[in-house]
């Protein structure tokens, strides 16, 4: 099979982690006799500097003409004061929209080897395996009106709109229920229905969609309570279904269960082209030092193989190789808890070696 991919390294540690992920992709493709075609394009702050836009037309066109997109990260403190439209994050949000990627899947898996890396107690996190299904194109991030009121050139008020219509809720709810069918059959729908109208509609629509999935157990949970339960008893969750902003916040929180935000991958689906990215940001403070953990991006490649190319064995090979590298005791700085650690590149190499069969645990 030909794997036609666009890589968008972005800012900060984005390029370093994407480099490792592409290396792994080439190795796994080679092993399974696939051809990889990768074009690299600009997004984020560096794209603003080079092309005057965080999402140049050429980037959108390249993404739309490939089968899947692998993204590193965008953002940096030097761009914080950029006006709307010229923020690195606008590039990412614009891309999600252009790809119609309304369904963001963020699996949170606790690797046994990393239990000690989690700030939570081992008996709380052990065996945790949940999936956050985050709505990605609605709510506060996209709904209008939004903006500032001004007086004499000074901002006097800022406003955003939280809005969801029935169709937006239905389509993401179906994604969550379908995912639960392949997992443990539980959906926790997160909202703030005790306060927000959007959430009251959300709850009503999710109830209705649930009727199509009689075998799935649905619970509704308020977002503040969910935030607490995630660190109290994360194993009670299977699929967490939630709107855009709640999902953004809860997924960072859930990341600590896994030991490091550097471990977590994501897939953004729904349109013609899948978008894959680690959930961490551009971490400008450690960029260029070989301290970044590439495993979240490498795990995103596994999701890409699974969802965009339906290559389950290949996806599994990557995941097993991540496991194996961790089982060998290899740690990047974020996972080392002050102990010895290897570089970003060395971790990428270790995963490649796992795929080609160096680690016995990877070939089991
Ligand atoms: C994420 C990030 C993005 C988001 C930012 C960079 C716009 O935090 O993917 O979780 O808020 O969606
Ligand atoms: Mg986030």
């Amino acid at each position: 099979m030909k794997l036609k991919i666009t890589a968008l390294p972005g800012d900060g540690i984005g390029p370093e982690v994407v480099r490792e992920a592409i290396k792994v992709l080439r190795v796994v493709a080679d092993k399974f006799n696939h051809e990889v075609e990768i074009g690299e394009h600009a997004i984020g702050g560096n794209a603003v500097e080079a092309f005057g836009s965080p999402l140049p037309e050429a980037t959108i066109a390249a993404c739309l003409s490939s089968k899947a997109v692998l993204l590193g990260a965008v953002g940096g403190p030097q761009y914080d004061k950029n006006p709307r439209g010229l923020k690195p994050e606008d590039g990412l949000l614009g891309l999600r929209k252009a790809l119609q990627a309304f369904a963001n899947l963020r699996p949170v898996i606790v690797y046994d080897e990393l239990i000690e890396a989690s700030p939570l107690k081992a008996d709380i996190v052990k065996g945790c395996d949940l999936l956050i299904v985050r709505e990605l194109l609605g709510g506060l991030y996209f709904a209008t009106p939004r903006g500032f009121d001004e007086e004499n050139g000074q901002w006097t008020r800022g406003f955003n709109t939280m809005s969801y219509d029935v169709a937006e809720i239905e389509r993401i709810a179906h994604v969550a229920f379908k995912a639960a069918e392949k997992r443990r059959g539980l959906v926790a729908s997160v909202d703030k229905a005790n306060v927000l109208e959007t959430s009251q509609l959300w709850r009503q629509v999710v109830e209705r969609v649930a009727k199509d999935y009689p075998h799935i157990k649905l619970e509704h949970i308020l977002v503040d309570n969910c935030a607490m339960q995630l660190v109290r008893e994360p194993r009670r969750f299977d699929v967490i279904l939630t709107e855009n902003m709640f999902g953004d916040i809860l997924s960072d929180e859930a990341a600590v269960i896994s030991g490091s935000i550097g471990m977590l991958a994501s897939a953004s689906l729904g349109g013609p082209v899948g978008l894959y990215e680690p959930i961490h940001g551009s971490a400008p403070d450690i960029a260029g030092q070989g301290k970044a953990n590439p495993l979240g991006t490498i795990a995103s490649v596994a999701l890409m193989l699974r969802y965009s190319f339906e290559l389950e064995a290949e996806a599994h090979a990557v995941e097993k190789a991540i496991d194996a590298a961790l089982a060998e005791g290899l740690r990047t700085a974020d996972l080392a808890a002050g102990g010895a650690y290897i570089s970003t590149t060395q971790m990428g190499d270790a995963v490649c070696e796992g795929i080609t069969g160096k680690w016995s645990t990877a070939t089991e």
Side-chain angles (χ1 to χ4, degrees):
M1 184 189 272
K2 183 158 167 188
L3 312 179
K4 192 164 182 227
I5 289 157
T6 298
L8 308 176
D11 304 319
I13 60 170
E16 334 170 19
V17 294
V18 165
R19 195 179 309 128
E20 298 314 308
I22 291 177
K23 195 159 85 185
V24 170
L25 176 65
R26 289 195 190 281
V27 168
V28 75
D30 205 46
K31 176 165 175 171
F32 289 84
N33 292 317
H34 303 297
E35 191 191 328
V36 182
E37 187 187 317
I38 301 184
E40 208 172 286
H41 287 269
I43 193 166
N46 67 87
V48 174
E49 284 171 29
F51 304 103
S53 161
L55 185 61
E57 284 297 327
T59 299
I60 303 181
C63 292
L64 286 172
S65 73
S66 55
K67 189 85 204 291
V69 176
L70 180 67
L71 185 138
V74 297
Q78 67 273 47
Y79 312 115
D80 280 354
K81 293 216 164 73
N82 286 18
R84 197 160 115 227
L86 290 179
K87 289 187 183 297
E89 291 77 8
D90 294 329
L92 177 55
L93 298 178
L95 181 66
R96 289 172 177 171
K97 185 111 198 165
L99 301 182
Q100 301 163 51
F102 68 85
N104 183 222
L105 311 186
R106 300 189 158 183
V108 179
I109 300 158
V110 174
Y111 294 88
D112 274 351
E113 299 81 22
L114 291 185
I115 285 178
E116 293 310 319
S118 173
L120 299 178
K121 291 197 182 84
D123 62 324
I124 287 182
V125 300
K126 188 170 167 44
C128 169
D129 176 0
L130 61 89
L131 175 70
I132 297 180
V133 176
R134 168 188 176 196
E135 199 290 327
L136 205 56
L137 294 183
L140 286 165
Y141 278 60
F142 286 95
T144 52
R146 62 185 291 169
F148 297 106
D149 286 342
E150 288 185 26
E151 255 168 52
N152 307 323
Q154 296 276 358
W155 291 339
T156 54
R157 191 173 79 99
F159 52 95
N160 295 85
T161 303
M162 187 187 261
S163 141
Y164 272 101
D165 65 25
V166 171
E168 285 174 302
I169 302 168
E170 274 173 358
R171 65 181 185 176
I172 192 69
H174 280 291
V175 171
F177 284 107
K178 290 203 167 83
E181 281 182 327
K182 292 193 184 155
R183 297 174 50 97
R184 301 197 305 281
L186 310 173
V187 170
S189 175
V190 177
D191 62 41
K192 189 69 187 173
N194 52 348
V195 178
L196 303 174
E197 280 77 6
T198 358
S199 286
Q200 286 155 25
L201 178 67
W202 181 279
R203 210 172 257 222
Q204 202 181 74
V205 174
V206 171
E207 288 278 348
R208 217 154 55 214
V209 172
K211 296 208 167 72
D212 292 349
Y213 304 88
H215 307 302
I216 303 297
K217 192 168 172 292
L218 169 67
E219 69 164 326
H220 300 284
I221 180 165
L222 296 172
V223 61
D224 46 356
N225 186 22
C226 180
M228 179 171 71
Q229 300 305 333
L230 264 176
V231 286
R232 233 188 114 250
E233 203 190 345
R235 274 193 302 261
R236 65 176 267 184
F237 294 110
D238 180 21
V239 174
I240 292 179
L241 162 64
T242 190
E243 67 90 45
N244 203 346
M245 176 82 146
F246 296 161
D248 179 46
I249 297 168
L250 294 176
S251 58
D252 266 33
E253 187 195 6
V256 302
I257 302 168
S258 76
S260 166
I261 195 167
M263 293 299 300
L264 291 202
S266 83
S268 302
L269 309 174
V273 180
L275 169 64
Y276 301 85
E277 45 172 326
I279 84 153
H280 64 69
S282 60
D285 52 322
I286 59 163
Q289 301 171 25
K291 284 190 184 159
N293 181 349
L295 294 179
T297 319
I298 294 172
S300 300
V301 163
L303 296 182
M304 174 190 284
L305 290 165
R306 175 168 297 129
Y307 293 124
S308 283
F309 298 107
E310 291 174 24
L311 296 173
E312 181 56 36
E314 288 81 341
H316 192 67
V318 173
E319 287 164 350
K320 285 290 289 181
I322 293 174
D323 253 343
L326 294 171
E328 287 295 322
L330 302 174
R331 301 284 182 269
T332 40
D334 54 318
L335 301 171
Y341 61 86
I342 59 170
S343 71
T344 310
T345 315
Q346 286 170 320
M347 187 56 104
D349 289 342
V351 177
C352 291
E353 283 162 6
I355 292 168
T356 54
K358 178 166 172 194
W359 315 116
S360 56
T361 33
T363 48
E364 269 163 21

